[in-house]
C-alpha cells in the first residue's frame, strides 16, 4: 500500500500481531472447543502455541546478530507444524477448530498467505463464534491490504467477545481509513479509545501499550501538536518495554518512537532508535534508510552552519550591515501578541545571548544565508546570520509546500525557542545551535508576517506491516 501523501509527512509503520499468550479471547469457550475436538486438536494447539512462542520470543534464545535469520527460522518451524497438521487432518472432530489452527500456523510469517485466508474463512463460516479465527482472518486481510475487510473482522470478533487483540487491531485499522473518505480526526479519537480499552484489559501487555503509543502519536498531529500528547506517546512506548520484555525486540516500536524523537529534534535518540530497529530486522530497508537520511541531513546542516552557508566574506559583511530595526516589522513596534493574546514589547538580542528553551519577550533578527530541505520536506531549515556574525539553524514546521525563504531575506523570530545540539553516532559528531519555529506565521519575513496560505498542518501516515 502506498502511504498517504501530505504536505508534511511523518511515516510510521504498524504490524498486526496476535501473540501466542494473547490469542484466547474467551478461554472458557476455547477449552470447550478443545473438549469437543479431542486430544488431536489439543496437541495441534500446543504445536501452534510453540510456533508463536518461537517467533515472539526469538531474541530470548538468539542474539541480535542472528536477526537476519529470524524470518527464515520462523518459516522452517512453520513447515514442521504444517506437516504435523496434515497428519491430523482427517482425525479432527472439530473441523472449524482445526481450520483455525491451520490458518493460524500459516499466518505466522510476515507475508500474506492465500492458504491461511482460505482456512480461516472456512473456519468462521463453520463456526462464526470463533473469536480467534476472526482476529486471525483480520490480520490476513491487513497483510493483503484490504483494510476495510480487516475492520469488519475485528469488529465482528468484538460482537462475540470483548478482547484486547480485536480492540488494539481495530485501533490500528481505524487510522488506516483515511483513503476511504471517513472523518480522520474522529477515527483517531476512536482509535485512542480502542487502544486504551485494550491496555485496561491487560496492563502488562506490551503490544497493547505500543499500539496505544501509535494512537497517541496520530492524536498529536490532529490536535494542534499538543506536547502533552507527544509525551503520552513516549510514555506508552516506554511502558511497553517496561511491562513486556519482548516489546524491546519489536523493531517497529524503535522506528516509530525514533520518528517522533526526530520530530521533537532529539536527533541523538532518533539515530539510536533507527539503528536499533535496523539491527533487530536487518532485512527491513526502512530503518537504515532513515538513519542514513538523518545522518546526511545533520552532516550537511553542520557544514552549512559552520561555513555560514559558504557565503563569501564580503557578502557576509554586506548582509550583516544591511540589517535595520525596520526589518523587525510588527515585532519592533510593540504590536507583537503572545500566544495568549497579550501585546508586549520585545527586546532585540543577538543569537549568542539566547538561552536554551523559550526566550520570552525577546526577538532575534538576521539574514538568510542558506536553506536546506529533507526527503520528508519537514522541517524547512535555513541558516540565520545576525549582526554579530553568529549563524544558527532555524527549523520551521507546519509550512505549506510552496512556502520558503530566500538567501538575503531578513527574518525576525519572536520569543525564539533555542536548542543546543551535541550528537555522536557511529564515529560522527555534530554540534550546532538551532531555533524551532512551529509555524511560518510566527515569523516576520522582509518586514511582513507570512500569509495564512504559508501554513499547512503536518500529518502522520501509517504503512501497514505484518507479523
Amino acid at each position: 500500500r502506498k502511504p498517504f501523501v501530505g504536505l508534511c509527512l511523518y511515516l510510521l509503520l504498524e504490524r498486526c500481531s496476535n501473540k501466542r499468550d494473547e490469542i484466547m479471547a474467551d478461554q472458557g469457550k476455547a477449552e470447550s472447543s478443545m473438549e469437543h475436538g479431542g486430544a488431536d486438536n489439543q496437541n495441534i494447539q500446543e504445536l501452534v502455541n510453540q510456533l508463536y512462542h518461537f517467533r515472539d520470543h526469538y531474541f530470548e534464545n538468539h542474539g541480535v546478530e542472528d536477526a537476519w535469520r529470524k524470518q527464515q527460522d520462523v518459516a522452517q518451524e512453520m513447515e514442521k507444524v504444517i506437516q504435523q497438521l496434515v497428519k491430523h487432518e482427517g482425525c479432527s472432530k472439530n473441523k472449524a477448530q482445526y481450520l483455525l489452527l491451520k490458518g493460524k500456523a500459516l499466518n505466522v510469517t510476515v507475508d500474506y498467505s492465500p492458504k491461511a485466508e482460505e482456512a480461516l474463512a472456512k473456519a468462521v463460516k463453520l463456526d462464526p463464534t470463533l473469536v480467534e479465527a476472526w482476529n486471525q482472518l483480520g490480520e490476513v486481510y491487513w497483510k493483503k491490504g484490504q483494510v476495510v475487510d480487516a475492520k469488519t473482522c475485528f469488529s465482528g470478533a468484538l460482537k462475540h467477545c470483548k478482547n484486547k487483540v480485536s480492540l488494539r487491531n481495530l485501533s490500528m485499522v481505524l487510522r488506516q481509513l483515511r483513503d476511504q473518505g471517513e472523518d480522520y480526526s474522529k477515527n483517531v479519537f476512536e482509535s485512542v479509545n480502542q487502544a486504551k480499552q485494550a491496555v485496561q484489559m491487560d496492563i502488562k501487555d506490551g503490544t497493547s501499550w505500543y499500539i496505544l503509543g501509535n494512537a497517541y502519536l496520530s492524536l498529536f498531529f490532529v490536535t494542534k501538536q499538543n506536547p502533552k500528547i507527544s509525551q503520552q506517546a513516549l510514555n506508552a512506548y516506554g511502558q511497553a518495554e517496561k511491562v513486556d520484555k519482548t516489546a524491546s525486540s519489536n523493531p517497529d516500536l524503535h522506528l516509530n518512537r525514533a520518528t517522533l524523537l526526530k520530530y521533537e529534534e532529539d536527533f541523538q535518540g532518533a539515530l539510536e532508535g533507527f539503528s536499533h530497529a535496523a539491527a533487530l530486522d536487518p532485512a527491513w530497508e526502512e530503518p537504515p534508510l532513515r538513519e542514513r537520511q538523518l545522518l546526511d541531513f545533520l552532516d550537511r546542516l553542520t557544514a552549512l552552519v559552520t561555513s555560514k552557508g559558504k557565503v563569501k566574506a564580503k557578502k557576509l559583511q554586506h548582509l550583516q550591515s544591511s540589517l535595520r530595526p525596520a526589518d523587525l516589522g510588527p515585532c519592533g513596534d510593540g504590536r507583537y501578541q503572545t500566544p495568549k493574546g497579550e501585546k508586549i514589547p520585545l527586546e532585540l538580542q543577538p543569537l549568542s545571548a539566547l538561552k536554551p528553551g523559550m526566550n520570552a519577550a525577546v526577538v532575534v533578527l538576521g539574514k538568510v544565508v542558506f536553506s536546506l530541505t529533507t526527503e520528508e520536506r519537514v522541517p524547512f531549515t535555513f541558516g540565520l546570520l545576525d549582526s554579530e556574525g553568529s549563524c544558527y539553524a532555524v527549523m520551521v514546521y507546519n509550512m505549506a509546500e510552496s512556502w520558503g525563504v530566500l538567501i538575503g531575506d531578513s527574518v525576525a523570530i519572536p520569543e525564539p525557542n533555542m536548542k543546543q545540539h551535541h550528537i555522536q553516532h557511529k564515529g560522527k559528531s555534530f554540534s550546532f545551535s538551532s531555533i524551532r519555529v512551529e509555524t511560518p506565521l510566527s515569523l516576520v519575513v522582509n518586514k511582513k508576517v507570512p500569509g495564512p496560505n504559508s501554513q499547512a498542518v503536518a500529518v502522520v501516515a501509517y504503512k501497514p506491516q505484518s507479523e
Side-chain angles (χ1 to χ4, degrees):
R1 288 174 54 81
K2 293 183 179 180
F4 174 81
V5 178
L7 293 176
C8 311
L9 177 64
Y10 288 86
L11 178 62
L12 303 187
L13 289 296
E14 274 191 307
R15 311 190 193 211
C16 208
S17 175
N18 292 325
K19 294 167 65 178
R20 182 196 66 84
D21 56 346
E22 301 165 349
I23 56 177
M24 292 304 177
D26 188 333
Q27 188 66 33
K29 180 177 288 187
E31 290 174 351
S32 176
S33 297
M34 288 302 171
E35 290 172 4
H36 289 90
D40 288 324
N41 275 355
Q42 194 165 6
N43 291 335
I44 296 170
Q45 176 75 66
E46 291 175 0
L47 288 173
V48 176
N49 283 353
Q50 291 169 8
L51 172 62
Y52 272 73
H53 187 277
F54 178 82
R55 185 196 74 178
D56 297 331
H57 298 263
Y58 186 85
F59 291 106
E60 292 179 20
N61 301 303
H62 299 79
V64 176
E65 65 275 6
D66 295 326
W68 65 274
R69 293 171 39 197
K70 179 182 177 183
Q71 301 306 332
Q72 178 182 345
D73 289 348
V74 170
Q76 289 176 350
E77 292 297 316
M78 180 197 74
E79 289 298 330
K80 295 177 184 178
V81 173
I82 294 299
Q83 289 174 9
Q84 293 298 317
L85 277 163
V86 172
K87 294 179 182 179
H88 293 80
E89 186 168 5
C91 305
S92 176
K93 297 178 181 180
N94 188 327
K95 185 67 173 178
Q97 186 71 23
Y98 173 82
L99 288 168
L100 159 61
L101 295 172
K102 180 181 179 181
K104 181 177 178 182
L106 290 165
N107 198 31
V108 74
T109 63
V110 299
D111 299 319
Y112 160 72
S113 169
K115 292 182 179 179
E117 180 182 353
E118 180 183 5
L120 293 165
K122 289 180 179 178
V124 296
K125 186 174 182 180
L126 288 172
D127 186 354
T129 66
L130 278 179
V131 172
E132 187 181 0
W134 282 114
N135 283 335
Q136 287 286 336
L137 184 58
E139 181 182 346
V140 169
Y141 286 136
W142 175 275
K143 295 176 181 180
K144 195 177 180 181
Q146 295 180 351
V147 180
V148 174
D149 291 331
K151 180 186 177 185
T152 300
C153 289
F154 300 136
S155 299
L158 288 169
K159 291 179 181 178
H160 293 291
C161 176
K162 185 177 180 180
N163 66 95
K164 61 185 178 182
V165 175
S166 300
L167 287 167
R168 68 183 182 221
N169 285 348
L170 186 58
S171 171
M172 294 165 59
V173 167
L174 285 168
R175 285 177 270 121
Q176 289 287 337
L177 293 176
R178 186 195 302 267
D179 293 339
Q180 277 69 43
E182 299 191 22
D183 184 341
Y184 187 62
S185 296
K186 181 179 178 180
N187 284 351
V188 171
F189 278 100
E190 182 59 24
S191 169
V192 173
N193 178 48
Q194 299 291 335
K196 282 183 177 180
Q197 290 186 58
V199 168
Q200 290 167 358
M201 292 195 72
D202 185 356
I203 62 172
K204 293 186 177 181
D205 188 305
T207 301
S208 296
W209 278 108
Y210 158 66
I211 292 174
L212 178 59
N214 288 346
Y216 274 132
L217 186 49
S218 281
L219 186 63
F220 169 72
F221 281 101
V222 300
T223 54
K224 299 182 180 180
Q225 300 167 33
N226 185 332
K228 291 182 180 180
I229 297 177
S230 67
Q231 188 58 52
Q232 286 179 304
L234 292 174
N235 289 344
Y237 291 143
Q239 194 69 11
E241 292 184 294
K242 181 179 178 181
V243 302
D244 185 355
K245 57 185 177 181
T246 61
S248 298
S249 302
N250 181 357
D252 298 27
L253 184 151
H254 294 284
L255 181 134
N256 290 348
R257 179 167 55 191
T259 301
L260 175 56
L261 292 174
K262 177 185 174 185
Y263 182 82
E264 295 197 331
E265 297 181 7
D266 180 354
F267 299 124
Q268 182 73 55
L271 287 169
E272 292 172 357
F274 291 143
S275 179
H276 195 46
L280 289 170
D281 192 348
W284 192 13
E285 297 178 355
E286 193 73 26
L289 172 63
R290 298 205 196 177
E291 182 184 13
R292 289 194 302 270
Q293 289 175 340
L294 182 51
L295 283 171
D296 177 64
F297 170 74
L298 293 171
D299 194 34
R300 289 187 293 151
L301 178 59
T302 304
L304 286 169
V305 170
T306 302
S307 66
K308 300 178 182 178
K310 300 181 180 180
V311 178
K312 294 182 179 180
K314 189 174 182 179
K315 186 172 182 179
L316 284 175
Q317 291 177 356
H318 172 71
L319 290 173
Q320 289 175 240
S321 61
S322 64
L323 287 168
R324 298 286 185 271
D327 293 327
L328 292 170
C331 288
D333 56 11
R335 288 187 289 129
Y336 171 73
Q337 283 192 346
T338 67
K340 295 182 179 180
E342 302 171 342
K343 290 186 177 181
I344 61 171
L346 298 175
E347 179 185 356
L348 177 61
Q349 290 189 3
L351 293 171
S352 60
L354 296 181
K355 298 177 181 179
M358 187 70 68
N359 290 259
V362 168
V363 62
V364 294
L365 176 66
K367 290 284 187 176
V368 177
V369 290
F370 70 82
S371 63
L372 180 64
T373 57
T374 66
E375 289 77 4
E376 292 174 329
R377 306 191 298 278
V378 181
F380 181 90
T381 305
F382 63 91
L384 189 69
L385 179 79
D386 72 359
S387 59
E388 291 188 349
S390 297
C391 184
Y392 281 20
V394 179
M395 301 184 186
V396 184
Y397 296 80
N398 299 298
M399 76 293 172
E401 188 174 15
S402 59
W403 182 86
V405 293
L406 302 174
I407 293 175
D409 284 349
S410 64
V411 177
I413 307 175
E415 301 194 306
N417 185 1
M418 192 272 281
K419 186 171 184 178
Q420 295 174 332
H421 302 269
H422 301 288
I423 306 155
Q424 290 187 333
H425 186 71
K426 293 185 176 180
K428 292 188 175 183
S429 298
F430 310 98
S431 294
F432 60 95
S433 296
S434 70
I435 297 173
R436 182 186 182 99
V437 179
E438 297 297 342
T439 167
L441 301 182
S442 298
L443 301 174
V444 174
V445 181
N446 297 327
K447 306 177 184 179
K448 297 180 181 180
V449 176
N453 292 335
S454 65
Q455 180 176 264
V457 178
V459 298
V460 61
Y462 284 87
K463 182 178 180 181
Q465 298 290 96
S466 60
E467 174 161 302

